[in-house]
Amino acid sequence: MMRKLQFLLFVFLLCGLGSSLAQERLINKGNEKYEEYSFSPAIDIYKKIIDKGYVSAEILKKLGNSYYYNADYKDAAETYRRLVTDYASDASPEDCFKYAQTLKSLGDYEGSNLVMAKFVELTSNDVRAQSYKNERDYLKEIKENSGRYDIKSFEYNSPYSDFAPSYYKEGLIFSSDRDTGNFARYRHTWNAKDFLDLYKVNSDSTSINEVIKIGENVNTRLHESTSVTTKDGQTLYFTRNNFIDGDYIKDEKGIIRLKIFRAQMVDGVWSEIEELPFNNNAYSVAHPSLSPDEKTLYFASDMPGTLGESDLFMVTINDDGTFGTPQNLGPNINTEARETFPFMTNEEILYFSSDGHPGLGGLDVFATKTKRQDFTGKVLNVGEPVNGKNDDFTFIFKEEDKTGYFASDREGGLGADDIYGFVEKEPLVFDCIQKVTGTVRDKISNEVLVGATVKVIDENNNEIMTTITDSDGNYSLQLDCNKGNFVRALMDGYIPFEEYIGESDGKPKIIDFYLERDTITAGFGDDLAKLLQLSTIYFDFDKYNIRKDSEIEIEKVIAAMEKYPSLKLKVNSHTDSRGPAAYNLWLSQKRAESTINYMISKGIASNRLESEGYGETKLINECADGVKCSSEKHDLNRRSEFIILE
């Protein structure tokens, strides 16, 4: 009996060992397919493993990614949910980000925000986390950009995958797997779909209202996809698998990478096909687009220096057809996720697709203004109906007639991916314009400064614009509120003054400048009141105390004396001829004394001040005793002077 039990136990152990080995072989096979980017068979294998009751964080992660990269967001979301719920300690920030993206693609924005909050907790310097924190109300911004396009289905779509439209002569070139001509002998293991070829429609007399392949020299038994042609139609840049001289080349992981090739039109045939020199067998280079002057090529790649899964780059095309060194477009454009499918318009607006910038789900189309290859401007989501819950990509646009095309795998299409045409009804607003107005004045006299210069200086000390104050001392500026600037006021004889304006919400702003004189160009005996253009200092009838309205003018004199410590003044006070002369003399002296006493009370040293009353002895017009004058003329004689002594 004991031997029988031992034998049965040995058999059970053998069976368990055999089952374990089989399971391990299956996992290894699934991982091998995953590492080869053969996601379709990897999904089948991982599902079998899970159905047999074996689940781990690694398997869920790879299964979720396989669904994600095939745009199966429903199954991806369920798989990521199990990962972050049942294996929370093993879930990475990237797993949380992809989970949030899948939830958005399913329309669960509230759930997506909760997962994104977890993503932000797990990471610190991630561009996507910063963007999320800075744009928590991103759905409101997307809604504001929405409704700008009327879209319709492309009449040449098929039940297969059609995408990557590009302008070619009067028609289009696009990519499709509608007819590989090989009865699916070569099927791509990423998504179990046929390989893609390039087609053209309405580009010449042979393709009017008919979709035809563009030429056997370009199309191979592997992928050809995104393309762009020069305006003269003589040069074609296109994406192809790493396929040279009839054979494909794999990297060390067994992956066939993407490369950009260039072809020339010779006697009506695309020929002289060459791969670009910055291609590499170790990484992908894809999705070409040309600048308006055709001197710069934009593309997507995961080459060294990439910030995320794929970034956008640019490279100079030299006059002799050679190329410069590729440059990353930087962290304002690129994130740790996918940026791909660039397109540059004639007005230098860069459109691209991304799942790293805040969007509606999957890949969304974004746009940014890039004058003079400046990629620091605001990146805008173009909104619905171009963007939706699914992948939206390969956006192209002509500003001349406001028409364009893009592709999407949205519901309701004819095939897996479909091309859509659109008309732009209202352009995107890229520039956040802030109106800044104000007045430039003399700090002491408060008089407006006509013809003062007001300059705008950026944070790199470059002069952006300049204007001159008008006859009322006013100026007006239109600033980019997405950038910080210095507004500087200058005037001959005055010390320049500036104020910094940071990024803002675009609300109008008023900045008044009060400039100080660099020197007082006056000498002994000059009246400082005239130099400062002071208003008349009034006293109440038959009184000599300082009135409130006169305090304002005297404060300007005090400011000048504080500014110039060596300045000494004599306050002369005058009356008109009305009243007895002796009384007027006394009253004017009391008013002069009252003025300097006020100044002393404000901190001016008494040894810097003198006073004298002249009564009606120094009239400045004909209004003497016995002369009939208007009240206005008499007022001219009732004055105070601040005579410079030193």
Side-chain angles (χ1 to χ4, degrees):
M1 184 67 177
M2 179 61 68
R3 289 183 178 178
K4 185 177 181 181
L5 289 174
Q6 289 174 338
F7 175 76
L8 289 174
L9 180 59
F10 177 71
V11 171
F12 288 148
L13 287 172
L14 272 179
C15 291
L17 180 61
S19 175
S20 176
L21 289 173
Q23 193 78 0
E24 185 176 346
R25 284 197 297 269
L26 199 58
I27 292 173
N28 289 338
K29 186 65 175 177
N31 291 342
E32 179 183 332
K33 293 298 181 183
Y34 181 85
E35 294 299 327
E36 292 176 353
Y37 293 76
S38 298
F39 295 126
S40 184
I43 289 172
D44 294 336
I45 294 170
Y46 289 138
K47 286 173 65 179
K48 287 180 182 179
I49 295 170
I50 292 174
D51 289 343
K52 290 179 181 293
Y54 183 84
V55 185
S56 70
E58 181 185 7
I59 288 177
L60 289 175
K61 182 177 301 195
K62 291 179 177 178
L63 177 59
N65 290 345
S66 298
Y67 283 131
Y68 184 85
Y69 291 125
N70 271 311
D72 183 351
Y73 296 125
K74 182 178 180 181
D75 287 332
E78 174 57 25
T79 306
Y80 288 135
R81 183 196 64 76
R82 292 183 65 182
L83 172 62
V84 302
T85 302
D86 299 342
Y87 300 88
S89 61
D90 296 316
S92 69
E94 198 63 33
D95 300 327
C96 291
F97 178 78
K98 288 190 173 75
Y99 182 27
Q101 287 293 100
T102 60
L103 291 175
K104 279 198 291 188
S105 295
L106 300 175
D108 184 3
Y109 295 109
E110 183 176 350
S112 177
N113 284 338
L114 290 174
V115 180
M116 277 300 292
K118 177 69 173 177
F119 169 72
V120 171
E121 288 179 12
L122 294 174
T123 185
S124 56
N125 298 322
D126 194 291
V127 172
R128 295 165 295 176
Q130 295 299 322
S131 180
Y132 177 76
K133 288 191 289 186
N134 295 337
E135 300 184 50
R136 290 300 298 271
D137 202 7
Y138 67 91
L139 290 176
K140 178 182 177 182
E141 180 179 310
I142 293 174
K143 185 176 181 180
E144 291 174 352
N145 290 335
S146 295
R148 298 174 185 271
Y149 306 94
D150 285 333
I151 70 171
K152 64 177 181 178
S153 181
F154 182 53
E155 61 178 304
Y156 302 103
N157 283 328
S158 72
Y160 301 92
S161 184
D162 302 295
F163 71 102
S166 67
Y167 296 112
Y168 176 53
K169 297 182 178 179
E170 299 302 318
L172 294 176
I173 292 176
F174 64 94
S175 186
S176 176
D177 63 355
R178 63 181 62 198
D179 175 23
T180 62
N182 54 28
F183 301 98
R185 176 183 172 189
Y186 303 108
R187 189 174 288 269
H188 189 32
T189 55
W190 178 299
N191 55 11
K193 300 287 181 66
D194 293 342
F195 281 96
L196 300 160
D197 281 339
L198 290 177
Y199 295 78
K200 64 179 179 178
V201 64
N202 296 336
S203 60
D204 50 50
S205 59
T206 63
S207 62
I208 299 299
N209 298 322
E210 182 182 2
V211 176
I212 62 175
K213 290 186 178 181
I214 70 168
E216 62 181 15
N217 290 343
V218 172
N219 290 321
T220 65
R221 58 187 174 89
L222 297 185
H223 278 311
E224 285 77 33
S225 60
T226 46
S227 65
V228 63
T229 56
T230 53
K231 294 172 185 176
D232 62 8
Q234 296 302 300
T235 303
L236 169 71
Y237 296 89
F238 65 96
T239 303
R240 175 195 279 174
N241 277 127
N242 194 0
F243 187 83
I244 300 174
D245 297 330
D247 198 11
Y248 56 82
I249 300 172
K250 294 183 178 181
D251 67 9
E252 60 183 14
K253 294 183 179 180
I255 302 168
I256 305 173
R257 296 289 184 173
L258 298 175
K259 290 186 174 182
I260 297 178
F261 290 78
R262 178 168 60 184
Q264 303 296 334
M265 179 64 72
V266 180
D267 298 328
V269 178
W270 290 116
S271 56
E272 299 181 7
I273 296 175
E274 59 178 337
E275 67 165 290
L276 301 192
F278 47 86
N279 289 331
N280 194 289
N281 294 337
Y283 51 79
S284 290
V285 177
H287 316 318
S289 177
L290 288 168
S291 61
D293 61 7
E294 301 183 349
K295 294 182 179 180
T296 303
L297 184 75
Y298 298 92
F299 61 92
S301 179
D302 59 349
M303 65 173 57
T306 301
L307 302 178
E309 294 184 40
S310 64
D311 281 5
L312 299 187
F313 291 80
M314 66 179 180
V315 64
T316 299
I317 305 174
N318 300 318
D319 292 339
D320 61 359
T322 59
F323 294 86
T325 302
Q327 299 177 43
N328 191 295
L329 297 194
N332 187 57
I333 302 294
N334 295 314
T335 69
E336 288 81 356
R338 294 179 293 176
E339 278 70 47
T340 186
F341 303 118
F343 179 80
M344 184 69 74
T345 71
N346 286 336
E347 294 184 6
E348 296 187 75
I349 294 173
L350 175 66
Y351 291 90
F352 64 96
S353 289
S354 170
D355 61 2
H357 293 276
L360 296 173
L363 290 170
D364 273 16
V365 177
F366 294 84
T368 184
K369 201 169 185 178
T370 63
K371 289 290 186 183
R372 296 180 297 278
Q373 296 186 340
D374 178 3
F375 299 97
T376 61
K378 189 172 185 179
V379 174
L380 299 179
N381 186 302
V382 304
E384 297 177 314
V386 168
N387 289 327
K389 295 184 295 183
N390 293 68
D391 286 332
D392 308 293
F393 53 101
T394 58
F395 183 102
I396 62 174
F397 179 55
K398 284 184 177 179
E399 282 115 349
E400 305 91 277
D401 58 9
K402 306 299 181 184
T403 63
Y405 298 88
F406 71 99
S408 177
D409 66 346
R410 64 189 57 191
E411 295 178 359
L414 186 60
D417 298 310
D418 287 295
I419 297 173
Y420 296 85
F422 67 85
V423 176
E424 183 188 67
K425 299 182 296 183
E426 183 181 352
L428 287 166
V429 179
F430 292 97
D431 299 324
C432 176
I433 301 299
Q434 181 180 32
K435 187 175 184 180
V436 178
T437 59
T439 306
V440 181
R441 297 176 178 273
D442 185 300
K443 183 175 182 179
I444 296 175
S445 69
N446 204 43
E447 293 298 317
V448 299
L449 298 180
V450 179
T453 300
V454 181
K455 294 183 177 182
V456 179
I457 312 295
D458 69 13
E459 292 176 327
N460 295 319
N461 208 33
N462 298 313
E463 184 176 318
I464 303 301
M465 66 183 74
T466 184
T467 188
I468 302 296
T469 56
D470 61 18
S471 58
D472 295 318
N474 298 325
Y475 71 92
S476 179
L477 300 167
Q478 301 279 343
L479 302 185
D480 181 352
C481 58
N482 291 321
K483 298 181 179 180
N485 291 291
F486 296 90
V487 180
R488 183 181 300 165
L490 310 95
M491 184 77 174
D492 287 343
Y494 289 85
I495 300 172
F497 189 82
E498 66 184 20
E499 185 166 331
Y500 177 74
I501 302 177
E503 296 182 32
S504 72
D505 57 6
K507 293 181 180 179
K509 187 178 183 66
I510 298 175
I511 301 178
D512 292 328
F513 289 99
Y514 296 87
L515 302 186
E516 296 182 357
R517 292 178 181 269
D518 51 8
T519 59
I520 292 183
T521 54
F524 176 82
D526 287 336
D527 185 357
L528 185 62
K530 291 181 178 179
L531 293 173
L532 299 180
Q533 298 180 336
L534 300 184
S535 299
T536 303
I537 296 176
Y538 289 105
F539 294 85
D540 289 330
F541 178 72
D542 203 26
K543 293 183 178 179
Y544 49 83
N545 58 293
I546 304 297
R547 290 183 3 177
K548 289 294 182 183
D549 57 348
S550 295
E551 287 181 7
I552 297 173
E553 304 306 308
I554 299 174
E555 288 290 349
K556 296 173 185 178
V557 178
I558 294 172
M561 298 194 74
E562 291 174 343
K563 175 68 176 176
Y564 307 104
S566 63
L567 183 62
K568 293 184 178 181
L569 298 177
K570 178 183 179 184
V571 179
N572 294 341
S573 182
H574 304 268
T575 67
D576 59 36
S577 61
R578 292 173 293 186
Y583 177 78
N584 284 339
L585 186 63
W586 173 83
L587 182 60
S588 65
Q589 181 61 43
K590 297 299 290 183
R591 287 176 174 175
E593 292 173 358
S594 180
T595 300
I596 66 168
N597 287 336
Y598 177 87
M599 297 173 70
I600 291 170
S601 73
K602 295 296 183 178
I604 302 300
S606 60
N607 62 357
R608 297 176 62 193
L609 297 168
E610 296 180 13
S611 65
E612 186 173 355
Y614 290 91
E616 57 183 271
T617 61
K618 293 189 175 183
L619 302 177
I620 60 173
N621 56 26
E622 74 278 13
C623 299
D625 289 336
V627 177
K628 188 175 182 180
C629 283
S630 65
S631 178
E632 290 77 11
K633 281 193 171 185
H634 280 300
D635 288 344
L636 295 176
N637 289 312
R638 294 170 52 230
R639 66 196 189 280
S640 290
E641 299 168 333
F642 296 84
I643 304 302
I644 297 174
L645 298 178
E646 184 179 322

